Amino acid sequence: MKLRNAAAAALAAFALALSLPGSALAATGEFSYKYVTDLGHEETQVLTDPHSGKCINLRFVGSDELQPGYGPHNRTDTPVIVYKGANCTGPEYRLRANGNPARDDLEVRSVKFEAAA
């Protein structure tokens, strides 16, 4: 009987975990950064509700062969670590949730948002 109760409890916990909304795995809000295109134009790229807990190589700058992005601005509800290298390597800097824009000399190629507790 104990085994049956334990199995039922494990199944119920698994079903509950599956029913949680996907936003529990994402920061809410926007993260932006600037970069220079191949034609020399400054552009801004925005991540909306980015995934938390995993490394994200940023679009147009997420390779060590490309010029890095710069001036990141975290307007999400989750702290983020920005990395100068691709694949969340190299020098890192932590940005607060809903913070002010970072200086333009802060370079970025990849980021990792804190996983929800």
Side-chain angles (χ1 to χ4, degrees):
M1 186 60 108
K2 287 183 182 182
L3 182 59
R4 183 179 296 164
N5 289 343
L11 184 58
F14 181 71
L16 178 63
L18 288 179
S19 69
L20 292 175
S23 63
L25 298 175
T28 301
E30 293 182 338
F31 174 86
S32 62
Y33 58 96
K34 297 179 265 187
Y35 67 99
V36 177
T37 69
D38 291 338
L39 299 175
H41 299 116
E42 183 179 82
E43 299 285 337
T44 299
Q45 186 70 31
V46 178
L47 300 177
T48 302
D49 299 337
H51 190 79
S52 296
K54 72 173 193 172
C55 182
I56 301 170
N57 285 325
L58 299 174
R59 190 171 182 196
F60 304 116
V61 300
S63 166
D64 289 327
E65 287 78 40
L66 300 171
Q67 291 295 317
Y70 55 92
H73 187 182
N74 185 21
R75 294 180 306 263
T76 72
D77 62 352
T78 305
V80 63
I81 300 172
V82 299
Y83 296 86
K84 187 173 181 178
N87 302 310
C88 296
T89 61
E92 60 185 64
Y93 189 81
R94 182 182 166 98
L95 298 177
R96 293 187 309 241
N98 297 305
N100 294 322
R103 298 184 327 247
D104 281 351
D105 63 352
L106 179 59
E107 297 178 339
V108 59
R109 284 194 173 96
S110 56
V111 297
K112 185 185 283 187
F113 291 85
E114 283 190 357

